[in-house]
Amino acid sequence: WTGIDSDFNWLSVDPTTGSIGAGQTQTINVTFDSSQVPAGDWLTNLIISSNAGNDVIVPCALNVSGEGVLSVN
């Protein structure tokens, strides 16, 4: 797999790249960050490529409602 396009700064993966052998597993942490975008619906796909030709497509959706409020006393 490879990293996420920089246009999608609200979504990150860790590790950002890697490869695994047949029969092995790898945990990929996916983080959604609503602080990087205004209110609305944000959609993309996380595509995990395989040299066997059976890519895995994971739909990723983030719904941001309202705007953050900063309060200073």
Side-chain angles (χ1 to χ4, degrees):
W1 65 92
T2 59
I4 303 262
D5 188 309
S6 62
D7 289 340
F8 301 101
N9 60 349
W10 53 269
L11 183 71
S12 62
V13 296
D14 182 43
T16 57
T17 62
S19 61
I20 58 174
Q24 295 180 325
T25 62
Q26 170 69 48
T27 299
I28 302 171
N29 297 303
V30 179
T31 303
F32 293 80
D33 183 358
S34 64
S35 71
Q36 300 296 314
V37 293
D41 293 321
W42 301 89
L43 309 169
T44 192
N45 290 317
L46 175 62
I47 301 171
I48 302 171
S49 300
S50 167
N51 62 357
N54 53 344
D55 295 352
V56 175
I57 299 173
V58 181
C60 299
L62 175 66
N63 174 271
V64 179
S65 58
E67 295 193 21
V69 176
L70 176 61
S71 188
V72 177
N73 292 323

